[in-house]
């Protein structure tokens, strides 16, 4: 017993160090996969409050840019309005309301904190459970795809942005429709890559890359970026495609959260797809 | 008593500066400056290592909470605090640290500051980016981040000393 106490006294510094280190590291490595203590992130109330105050100050610096973006988006939407279109054959087309049902709805949000230079980048937005969003909802802005909701508290949410390791959003090249998963290499906030496109597909430089809508998180056709470069991967029949993001993550202010109103139906259907069994059946 | 208040205020200032200013600097190429290690360096000499570790942990965790890094800063701050006594012993001046109360650049000299703080900062940043990236095949990204961020953080710490520690020198 005395030896044990002596041992603890001798190595007490190292033991305290090791204990705290284990706490910190286990927190770090489990957090990104299984968020547990929400208090300890920017979705927590006090922390979000501090960052909201900061954002209240700094948001005015980007006001001009933000206005321009919103104006541009308004222009696009206005052009789609009925009264800015000319009806070619009057009376032939009847608009039947029951023909369309709302599939996606969008909730606007303000970004109060974001990073772009880490290996995994997150941003905090000012809406949460009270506004009806949940973990796994898609997030995009007027310029392009932003990320996926990762943690939700009552009033705030943390979004895992496209600039992270395992973001894997379903995307496709608009022309030709070849699809793959979006990845990020951790270095350049302006560029990402697509993996899984077979290299016998024809892909034109600067063709648009959009979401595929494959997992029901995003509607089909939200802009991600443009194909900047393509190259061969040694030993694999795949293209190495570099995408230049249309979103500028360094100056992001306003985003929309996507709610898929038919997600449940979609998921139950998807679950019925038989999975490939790992071991061959005998 | 005066010391406790001073260090508490410093603690808050360093956390807020890191979270509200440095985390939002828009520098590319993987540069991520961190100033808060300077706070741990500036804690009193006679402080035992165990409270030092606890303070460093609290400091790192406060920054984590406000920047969504979930324990990354806490872990790195611990490394810094753990190695502080080791490095101090390594670069101890001939007559020890007896007459100095704070380890800033003026009381200890430029040479000492460059060696000990530089080395500690290198350890801290290496650990930080190592844990952050945690992939062997991205070693180039790791080296690049360390190589670019350490000088940046060091210069920042140097400026902070020039601006805020100079008053103490004239008092002496």
């Amino acid at each position: 017993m005395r030896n044990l106490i002596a041992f603890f006294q001798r190595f007490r510094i190292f033991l305290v160090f090791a204990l705290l280190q284990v706490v910190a590291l286990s927190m770090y490595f489990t957090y990104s996969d299984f968020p547990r203590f929400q208090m300890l992130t920017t979705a927590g109330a006090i922390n979000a409050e501090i960052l909201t105050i900061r954002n209240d100050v700094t948001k005015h610096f980007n006001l001009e840019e933000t206005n321009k973006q919103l104006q541009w988006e308004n222009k696009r939407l206005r052009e789609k309005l009925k009264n800015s279109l000319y009806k070619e054959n009057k009376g032939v087309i009847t608009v039947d309301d029951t023909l369309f049902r709302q599939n996606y709805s969008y909730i606007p949000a303000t970004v109060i904190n974001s990073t772009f230079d880490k290996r995994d980048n997150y941003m905090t937005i000012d809406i949460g459970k009270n506004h009806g969003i949940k973990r796994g909802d898609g997030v995009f802005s007027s310029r392009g795809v932003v990320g996926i909701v990762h943690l939700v508290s009552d009033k705030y949410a943390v979004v895992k942005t496209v600039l992270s390791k395992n973001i894997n959003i379903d995307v496709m090249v608009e022309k030709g429709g070849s699809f793959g998963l979006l990845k990020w290499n951790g270095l350049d906030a302006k560029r990402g890559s697509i993996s899984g496109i077979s290299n016998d597909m024809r892909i034109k430089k600067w063709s648009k890359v959009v979401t595929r809508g494959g997992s029901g998180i995003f509607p089909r056709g939200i802009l991600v970026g443009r194909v900047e470069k393509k190259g061969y991967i040694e030993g694999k029949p795949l293209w190495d495609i570099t995408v230049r993001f249309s979103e500028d993550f360094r100056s992001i202010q306003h985003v929309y959260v996507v709610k898929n109103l038919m997600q449940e139906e979609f998921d139950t259907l998807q679950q019925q797809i038989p999975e490939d069994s790992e071991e061959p059946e005998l | 008593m005066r010391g406790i208040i001073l260090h508490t205020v410093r603690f808050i200032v360093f956390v807020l500066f890191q979270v509200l200013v440095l985390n939002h600097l828009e520098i590319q190429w993987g540069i991520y400056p961190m100033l808060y290690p300077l706070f741990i360096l500036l804690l009193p000499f006679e402080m035992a290592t165990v409270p030092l570790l606890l303070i460093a942990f609290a400091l790192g965790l406060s920054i984590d909470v406000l920047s969504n890094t979930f324990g990354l800063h806490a872990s790195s701050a611990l490394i810094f605090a753990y190695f502080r006594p080791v490095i101090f012993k390594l670069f101890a001046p001939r007559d020890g640290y007896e007459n100095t109360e704070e380890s800033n650049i003026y009381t200890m000299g430029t040479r000492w500051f460059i060696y000990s703080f530089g080395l500690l900062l290198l350890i801290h940043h290496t650990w930080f980016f190592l844990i952050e990236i945690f992939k062997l095949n991205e070693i180039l990204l790791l080296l690049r981040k360390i190589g670019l961020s350490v000088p940046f953080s060091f210069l920042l710490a140097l400026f902070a000393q020039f601006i805020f520690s100079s008053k103490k020198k004239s008092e002496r």
Side-chain angles (χ1 to χ4, degrees), chain A residues 62-247:
Chain A
N62 294 359
L63 219 54
E64 200 176 333
E65 168 80 359
T66 311
N67 275 342
K68 229 178 254 172
Q69 268 175 47
L70 292 175
Q71 200 175 22
W72 185 75
E73 193 182 16
N74 270 346
K75 165 195 166 286
R76 245 181 357 167
L77 295 175
R78 229 167 242 278
E79 282 168 358
K80 285 184 185 162
L81 280 179
K82 224 191 208 166
N83 57 15
S84 61
L85 298 175
Y86 178 73
K87 214 168 185 179
E88 286 260 20
N89 36 4
K90 287 193 166 81
V92 178
I93 299 168
T94 47
V95 178
D96 190 357
D97 270 348
T98 52
L99 211 55
F100 296 99
R101 232 175 88 196
Q102 193 91 30
N103 189 348
Y104 295 97
S105 72
Y106 308 106
I107 308 165
T110 307
V111 177
I112 56 175
N113 184 40
S114 70
T115 63
F116 57 87
D117 53 0
K118 304 273 172 48
R119 186 62 187 88
D120 289 319
N121 293 288
Y122 296 87
M123 68 173 61
T124 313
I125 54 176
D126 66 345
I127 60 173
K129 239 180 258 164
N130 291 351
H131 306 78
I133 67 170
K134 59 178 194 308
R135 183 170 151 95
D137 284 345
V139 180
F140 68 97
S141 78
S142 56
R143 287 184 292 200
V145 164
V146 173
I148 290 170
V149 174
H150 193 59
L151 296 169
V152 197
S153 67
D154 283 347
K155 285 185 227 135
Y156 299 95
V158 172
V159 178
K160 192 172 193 174
T161 64
V162 168
L163 309 179
S164 355
K165 235 176 288 177
N166 305 316
I167 187 78
N168 293 345
I169 294 177
D170 256 339
V171 294
M172 64 177 187
V173 180
E174 204 178 35
K175 250 176 218 152
S178 44
F179 52 84
L181 293 178
L182 189 66
K183 307 262 182 197
W184 189 56
N185 68 352
L187 208 61
D188 189 347
K190 290 193 201 106
R191 290 171 188 84
S193 61
I194 308 177
S195 71
I197 296 189
S198 171
N199 69 4
D200 58 342
M201 298 291 238
R202 273 197 188 179
I203 282 157
K204 265 195 186 151
K205 223 173 160 187
W206 302 114
S207 50
K208 274 184 188 170
V209 175
V210 295
T211 54
R212 191 178 161 223
S215 44
I217 294 171
F218 290 104
R220 199 186 182 89
I222 290 185
L223 191 63
V224 175
R226 282 168 190 276
V227 174
E228 192 177 57
K229 215 166 61 187
K230 61 177 184 185
Y232 296 100
I233 304 175
E234 212 163 302
K236 277 186 194 164
L238 298 173
W239 284 120
D240 174 21
I241 295 174
T242 307
V243 181
R244 196 185 165 94
F245 293 133
S246 53
E247 178 57 74

Side-chain angles (χ1 to χ4, degrees), chain A residues 21 28 42 113 119 187 250, chain B residues 24 26 68 70 75 141:
Chain A
Q21 195 65 262
Y28 177 66
T42 45
N113 184 40
R119 186 62 187 88
L187 208 61
R250 293 168 303 168
Chain B
H24 295 274
E26 301 195 351
N68 279 338
F70 322 119
S75 170
L141 173 65

Side-chain angles (χ1 to χ4, degrees), chain A residues 28-48:
Chain A
Y28 177 66
F29 283 112
T30 54
Y31 243 117
S32 35
D33 302 331
F34 318 101
R36 277 178 304 179
F37 317 101
Q38 236 169 43
M39 273 296 289
L40 293 182
T41 66
T42 45
I46 305 162
N47 320 328

Side-chain angles (χ1 to χ4, degrees), chain A residues 12-14 16-17 20-25 27-29 31-32 39-43 46-48 50-51 54 112-120 122-124 150-151 158 165-166 184-190 250-251, chain B residues 16 19-33 48-50 53-54 57 61 64-76 78-80 82-83 127-128 130-135 138 141 144-145:
Chain A
R12 110 182 151 267
I13 290 170
F14 183 74
V16 170
F17 169 71
L20 292 175
Q21 195 65 262
V22 166
V23 171
L25 287 182
M27 230 158 65
Y28 177 66
F29 283 112
Y31 243 117
S32 35
M39 273 296 289
L40 293 182
T41 66
T42 45
I46 305 162
N47 320 328
I50 294 177
L51 293 169
R54 178 192 176 275
I112 56 175
N113 184 40
S114 70
T115 63
F116 57 87
D117 53 0
K118 304 273 172 48
R119 186 62 187 88
D120 289 319
Y122 296 87
M123 68 173 61
T124 313
H150 193 59
L151 296 169
V158 172
K165 235 176 288 177
N166 305 316
W184 189 56
N185 68 352
L187 208 61
D188 189 347
K190 290 193 201 106
R250 293 168 303 168
S251 64
Chain B
L16 289 183
V19 172
L20 300 182
V21 181
L22 290 184
N23 279 2
H24 295 274
L25 280 189
E26 301 195 351
I27 323 171
Q28 282 276 310
W29 316 301
I31 295 180
Y32 179 53
T49 314
V50 172
L53 285 171
L54 292 175
F57 187 71
L61 205 62
D64 280 328
V65 163
L66 288 164
S67 51
N68 279 338
T69 38
F70 322 119
L72 189 59
H73 285 288
S75 170
S76 320
L78 273 176
I79 284 279
F80 191 95
Y82 184 71
F83 279 102
W127 181 261
F128 181 89
L130 199 71
I131 300 295
E132 187 193 21
I133 294 171
F134 209 66
K135 258 189 182 173
E138 288 180 9
L141 173 65
R144 179 170 162 177
K145 279 195 158 187

Side-chain angles (χ1 to χ4, degrees), chain B residues 39-148:
Chain B
F39 171 80
I40 308 173
L41 186 90
L42 293 182
L43 285 171
F45 272 111
E46 65 268 27
M47 190 170 247
T49 314
V50 172
L52 195 70
L53 285 171
L54 292 175
I55 291 173
F57 187 71
L59 176 77
L61 205 62
S62 323
I63 294 168
D64 280 328
V65 163
L66 288 164
S67 51
N68 279 338
T69 38
F70 322 119
L72 189 59
H73 285 288
S75 170
S76 320
L78 273 176
I79 284 279
F80 191 95
Y82 184 71
F83 279 102
R84 192 183 97 136
V86 181
I87 300 287
F88 275 9
K89 209 177 265 176
L90 195 68
F91 293 111
R94 211 171 300 142
D95 48 349
Y97 292 108
E98 275 177 13
N99 302 322
T100 43
E101 51 185 36
E102 194 181 273
S103 48
N104 66 39
I105 192 165
Y106 295 109
T107 54
M108 296 308 302
T110 319
R111 223 172 113 89
W112 179 91
F113 184 78
I114 290 174
Y115 281 144
S116 55
F117 186 64
L119 199 56
L120 281 170
L121 205 63
L122 186 66
I123 294 170
H124 171 272
H125 277 50
T126 307
W127 181 261
F128 181 89
F129 291 122
L130 199 71
I131 300 295
E132 187 193 21
I133 294 171
F134 209 66
K135 258 189 182 173
L136 212 62
N137 56 2
E138 288 180 9
I139 190 136
L140 279 176
L141 173 65
L142 173 74
L143 292 178
R144 179 170 162 177
K145 279 195 158 187
I146 296 170
L148 291 173

